[in-house]
Amino acid sequence: MRIELVQGDITTRTVDAIVNAANSSLLGGGGVDGAIHRAAGPELLAACKELRRTELPDGLPVGAAVATPGFRLPARWVIHTVGPNRHAGQTDPALLASCFRESLLVADSLGAASVAFPAVSAGIYGWDAREVAETAFDAVTAFAASREERGEDVGVEVVEFVLFSTEMVEVFRQVREGGPAWG
Ligand code: AR6
């Protein structure tokens, strides 16, 4: 599995699936969630409402993931995940790692070969950028290693971390290189 860092707007990525940093309601919000809903069109909200009506009446739990079509996005699917909200006392990195792992499991089940992630929980949910970057790399590399151990060589081949700001790209780059992040 290859991991790439990209600076820009995740809604423009031509990948099989983009991951949305949603909230448990799945009914939209600000940040990357708002941008994805705007770019995908109103069909996305309708699909999310249908999920709430059927398999997720209580909403999507923190650390879980679920897919919808991408509608007007270049990406074929949106995988919605709910990061932990530091402002609500959700400080366990295992919950954040779960977002990345569960999203990759969903991507694999869809047959997606390329997946783009935003910096889940690093915005409105208040997590430190470096902690998000470390957790993201650890979770994705652990997922790839466990799949290799099982001898599975199909599924997600490319993971992009699509970061909105150059500062965030720099933090992810430094974490990847194992060096200090000053930003
Ligand atoms: N492309 C890539 N990254 C983006 C984009 C974009 N178009 N827009 C923002 N970011 P956030 P969270 C970055 O707040 O912290 C919503 O209201 C942003 O700069 O979107 O998980 C949901 O409904 C930051 O680095 O997600 C939830 O209620 C990163 O994406 C809540 O916010 C994540 O910031 C989730 O908060």
Side-chain angles (χ1 to χ4, degrees):
M1 191 184 286
R2 214 165 69 234
I3 301 178
E4 292 173 357
L5 301 184
V6 177
Q7 197 238 316
D9 177 356
I10 200 167
T11 66
T12 67
R13 301 305 297 165
T14 305
V15 287
D16 293 327
I18 65 171
V19 175
N20 183 16
N23 59 65
S24 288
S25 81
L26 289 180
L27 301 179
V32 72
D33 193 7
I36 288 172
H37 274 270
R38 279 192 298 279
E43 298 91 339
L44 182 59
L45 181 58
C48 289
K49 284 183 174 165
E50 184 61 14
L51 280 173
R52 289 298 309 277
R53 201 182 62 77
T54 54
E55 58 193 83
L56 293 167
D58 299 326
L60 186 65
V62 177
V66 68
T68 63
F71 300 104
R72 302 179 199 183
L73 290 165
R76 184 160 170 205
W77 293 287
V78 177
I79 298 172
H80 307 262
T81 191
V82 182
N85 182 357
R86 187 164 279 275
H87 303 305
Q90 293 166 344
T91 56
D92 183 358
L95 285 172
L96 185 56
S98 175
C99 291
F100 291 94
R101 188 177 59 247
E102 293 297 314
S103 296
L104 287 169
L105 279 170
V106 170
D108 263 353
S109 75
L110 294 167
S114 52
V115 180
F117 281 96
V120 179
S121 288
I124 292 163
Y125 279 177
W127 278 60
D128 172 69
R130 189 177 171 94
E131 193 163 12
V132 171
E134 286 171 350
T135 305
F137 274 111
D138 284 355
V140 172
T141 50
F143 181 86
S146 72
R147 214 175 53 186
E148 258 170 44
E149 265 171 31
R150 293 194 303 274
E152 296 163 8
D153 58 357
V154 290
V156 178
E157 290 162 15
V158 183
V159 168
E160 292 183 347
F161 292 123
V162 182
L163 295 327
F164 218 29
S165 66
T166 50
E167 291 82 3
M168 190 67 86
V169 175
E170 195 47 34
V171 172
F172 270 67
R173 197 188 314 282
Q174 284 169 345
V175 166
R176 180 171 63 184
E177 287 161 11
W182 308 111

